[in-house]
Amino acid sequence: MSSHPASVPLERISPVSAVRSQSARASLKGQQTKAVIVEAALGLATQIGLEGLSIGVLAEVTRMSKSGVFAHFGSREELQISVIREYFSRFEQEIFYPALHEPRGLPRVKALFGNWMKRVAVEIQSGCIFISGAVEFDDRPGPVRDALATSVQTWLNGLHRAVVLAKQCGHLRPDADEQQMAFEIHGLILALHYEARFLKNPGSIERANAGFQNILVRYGVDASTA
């Protein structure tokens, strides 16, 4: 008699295991489909704004049924919020996290601004959801506005912390106003979007970079920190 254990017949496979396996595959497929929809929605939102998004439009773009798209979000509002979350995730990956590899202080502040400028150079053509969304939802309370405001405030808090650390490292004047400095850096980005994307004024990127250098000189311990 063979000492090797007999193979388990297929009919003896646990029904529970089979159901779990099928459920896991269905869940993975659902996540992949949702990611495709969010990707398409993100591309549309940069062009037509969050308000332009709808279940019907996404169904047409992704060649899915309206009920299929709806099943992944449940509402237009949830679709918009999902787009905001994805946009913020990419914003962090491109701007914030790479800067954390730089030493604390002005090197990190410079990296944040430099990464931000790289993204703006692209968004001058494609548009920024944070900026267009602020125009669309600034006076419209609700979950979408909350998601937008939370994302922007989280990013600005990170910028402010970087400036505070720069002061603690001795890279800024002892009397430097960290909140004011962060405000001015943010202001440069907003001005750049307006000048370059809306007015299409040439040289806007160069002026934004020059403005940042002026900020470093004014708040730095001396001009050499720039």
Side-chain angles (χ1 to χ4, degrees):
M1 183 179 292
S2 173
S3 60
H4 295 290
S7 59
V8 179
L10 291 178
E11 60 269 19
R12 292 181 60 186
I13 295 177
S14 168
V16 174
S17 297
V19 170
R20 286 177 177 172
S21 178
Q22 292 174 357
S23 177
R25 288 195 296 270
S27 177
L28 177 60
K29 184 178 180 180
Q31 292 173 6
Q32 293 172 337
T33 301
K34 185 173 183 178
V36 169
I37 298 172
V38 171
E39 179 72 26
L42 183 57
L44 281 173
T46 57
Q47 301 173 33
I48 62 178
L50 289 167
E51 268 297 272
L53 294 179
S54 70
I55 299 295
V57 170
L58 264 296
E60 183 177 346
V61 171
T62 58
R63 297 182 179 179
M64 295 177 60
S65 66
K66 289 184 180 180
S67 60
V69 175
F70 185 83
H72 288 283
F73 300 96
S75 69
R76 176 169 174 264
E77 194 173 73
E78 185 56 39
L79 169 65
Q80 293 169 323
I81 292 173
S82 295
V83 169
I84 294 168
R85 289 171 179 163
E86 178 63 22
Y87 183 82
F88 179 67
S89 176
R90 297 186 185 192
F91 193 91
E92 284 188 314
Q93 293 294 331
E94 292 179 26
I95 299 174
F96 188 73
Y97 292 136
L100 293 180
H101 295 294
E102 297 296 327
R104 291 182 175 184
L106 280 185
R108 187 171 296 178
V109 174
K110 292 177 181 179
L112 285 171
F113 184 78
N115 294 342
W116 206 355
M117 287 293 290
K118 290 177 184 177
R119 186 175 180 92
V120 171
V122 174
E123 290 182 336
I124 286 174
Q125 302 301 322
S126 65
C128 172
I129 288 178
F130 286 163
I131 293 177
S132 63
V135 174
E136 292 175 315
F137 293 92
D138 60 346
D139 58 354
R140 295 174 56 187
V144 177
R145 184 190 187 283
D146 291 344
L148 271 169
T150 298
S151 295
V152 174
Q153 192 59 60
T154 298
W155 157 241
L156 293 181
N157 289 344
L159 174 62
H160 180 257
R161 283 196 300 272
V163 174
V164 169
L165 286 173
K167 185 175 180 179
Q168 292 175 353
C169 291
H171 297 167
L172 304 179
R173 297 194 326 258
D175 63 342
D177 185 334
E178 305 99 309
Q179 192 168 7
Q180 180 66 28
M181 180 175 173
F183 179 89
E184 291 179 20
I185 293 173
H186 186 212
L188 285 175
I189 297 296
L190 296 179
L192 175 57
H193 270 281
Y194 198 95
E195 289 273 339
R197 181 168 170 79
F198 181 52
L199 298 178
K200 302 188 183 304
N201 286 335
S204 299
I205 291 178
E206 290 76 13
R207 281 192 288 277
N209 282 318
F212 182 64
Q213 293 302 315
N214 291 337
I215 288 174
L216 296 182
V217 170
R218 284 191 289 108
Y219 288 96
V221 290
D222 55 48
S224 66
T225 60

